[in-house]
Amino acid sequence: MSQVGWRTAMERALYGPEGFYTRGERPAAHFRTSVHASHRFALAIARLIVEVDAALGHPPRFDLVDVGAGCGELLTEILPVAGLSGRLRPVAVEVAPRPEGLNPAIEWRPSLPERITGLVIANEWLDNVPLDVVELTGDGPRLVVVDPRSGAELPGPAPAPEDAEWLERWWPLREPGDRAEVGRYRCAAWASVLERLRGGLALAVDYAHERDHRPPYGTLTGYRDGRCVSPVPDGSCDITAHVALDACVEAGREAGATATVLTTQRAALRALGLRGERPPLELARSDPRGYIQALRAAGEDAELIDPSGLGSFGWLVQTVGIDVPAVLETAQTSA
């Protein structure tokens, strides 16, 4: 197979006929997300559902859409605690086949619903939207092409004008050897979410960076069996790159978002009640079992809000037709 641009290689490796996701790999077997870390993440999302439902005036149907749903773990954990008295419509958007034994209440589909009123969650979805890589050479910026079998790279043609325009605005290259990951298609993917949102909130959670702090050599990498590996696009591993969430902010606004908060997972989850604080010792004397349970919850919260780990993830919150819930507005300036 001849060398191709990274976006084509990623598309085939992740979503082609024998791609990493389309063949039904279990994401939890290869990498750990907040969903896999603790059910406490689902509890925080359940609180957010309550806030959005109230802001929408308790609609007859509340859509809860999980984009890049993996095996449906997040929706499975939310359903017993979300409430909403039968108004909740849980939808998993995933290219992999429906897992056996999944709660029949969860709708499984390969693409977004056309109309959504409620909450859309994209937890580590945008990082898997394929993108191209551009490197600044002595002859100017060049698309990086890759051999899908070996991962070997070479400089290719100049980037498309649309990609060059995106780079100039969001990830300008300064020195020969600098690389950028062109997030134009991720912006379009995020915009497609906001275009379908008739009212409610869309949340993207991902590894992220901002314009003034882009990594000079990019972040493209692979994951297999819980380990970081070379991103060879042969379908044998997950291939991911951090997300320019600040560029997605603008794309969301152009698609109809009326309010935005861009913050960290640490700040957002703390605002939603996950504090990671050790329970008082007197509880150990009065209620030993309750103390152990509270201690376990504190440990799980601490992992989710760890500023050097999952807590450093970016949270992009955009709404249509409602204000950002006050609880998350405070997260924008929280430590």
Side-chain angles (χ1 to χ4, degrees):
M1 185 181 292
S2 60
Q3 289 172 320
V4 295
W6 264 107
R7 189 169 70 86
T8 298
M10 283 183 69
E11 184 70 40
R12 293 172 180 170
L14 297 179
Y15 307 114
E18 296 299 321
F20 183 81
Y21 286 108
T22 49
R23 67 170 180 261
E25 287 283 343
R26 293 182 62 87
H30 299 279
F31 51 86
R32 182 176 174 85
T33 73
S34 298
V35 177
H36 306 135
S38 172
H39 75 288
R40 304 277 298 171
F41 185 78
L43 291 177
I45 298 299
R47 178 177 177 187
L48 186 57
I49 290 170
V50 171
E51 298 277 349
V52 175
D53 182 54
L56 288 170
H58 311 291
R61 187 186 75 189
F62 186 100
D63 300 316
L64 175 61
V65 182
D66 185 8
V67 190
C71 293
E73 298 99 332
L74 180 58
L75 293 177
T76 298
E77 292 182 351
I78 288 176
L79 278 177
V81 296
L84 274 61
S85 304
R87 295 184 292 112
L88 189 68
R89 175 202 179 197
V91 180
V93 179
E94 182 56 72
V95 297
R98 182 186 182 97
E100 293 184 9
L102 186 69
N103 189 324
I106 298 174
E107 179 183 342
W108 193 269
R109 52 183 296 147
S111 58
L112 286 162
E114 286 303 312
R115 300 174 64 89
I116 302 168
T117 299
L119 174 63
V120 183
I121 308 164
N123 183 51
E124 296 195 52
W125 170 58
L126 289 173
D127 66 297
N128 286 130
V129 173
L131 47 62
D132 274 315
V133 177
V134 170
E135 182 172 330
L136 186 59
T137 73
D139 296 322
R142 289 292 181 266
L143 194 71
V144 176
V145 296
V146 59
D147 183 338
R149 296 165 297 186
S150 67
E153 296 177 328
L154 287 173
E162 298 87 350
D163 290 342
E165 181 180 350
W166 188 94
L167 290 170
E168 181 62 29
R169 182 173 184 184
W170 295 109
W171 197 330
L173 296 169
R174 307 297 187 191
E175 303 290 339
D178 284 358
R179 285 190 168 200
E181 293 149 356
V182 185
R184 183 164 64 92
Y185 286 91
R186 293 172 168 189
C187 290
W190 182 244
S192 73
V193 172
L194 272 298
E195 288 166 355
R196 289 165 170 79
L197 190 61
R198 298 299 183 262
L201 184 149
L203 166 63
V205 182
D206 237 310
Y207 295 103
H209 44 58
E210 298 181 353
R211 189 182 189 279
D212 293 338
H213 303 283
R214 306 286 190 219
Y217 307 116
T219 61
L220 196 69
T221 192
Y223 285 95
R224 184 192 301 118
D225 299 329
R227 295 190 299 273
C228 187
V229 297
S230 296
V232 178
D234 60 359
S236 68
C237 65
D238 177 41
I239 298 176
T240 177
H242 295 195
V243 183
L245 281 180
D246 49 351
C248 293
V249 168
E250 186 64 27
R253 286 175 176 155
E254 292 174 358
T258 52
T260 298
V261 165
L262 182 59
T263 186
T264 65
Q265 175 155 301
R266 176 178 174 81
L269 290 184
R270 283 171 62 86
L272 289 167
L274 275 61
R275 310 297 297 182
E277 297 171 350
R278 187 185 184 98
L281 284 175
E282 54 265 26
L283 183 63
R285 293 186 288 270
S286 62
D287 182 5
R289 179 173 296 181
Y291 177 78
I292 295 299
Q293 292 174 342
L295 195 62
R296 182 185 302 128
E300 293 176 2
D301 289 1
E303 180 180 4
L304 290 169
I305 64 175
D306 180 359
S308 62
L310 294 172
S312 67
F313 274 47
W315 271 45
L316 169 56
V317 176
Q318 293 193 296
T319 62
V320 172
I322 64 171
D323 293 332
V324 172
V327 67
L328 288 184
E329 282 189 335
T330 63
Q332 189 162 228
T333 55
S334 297

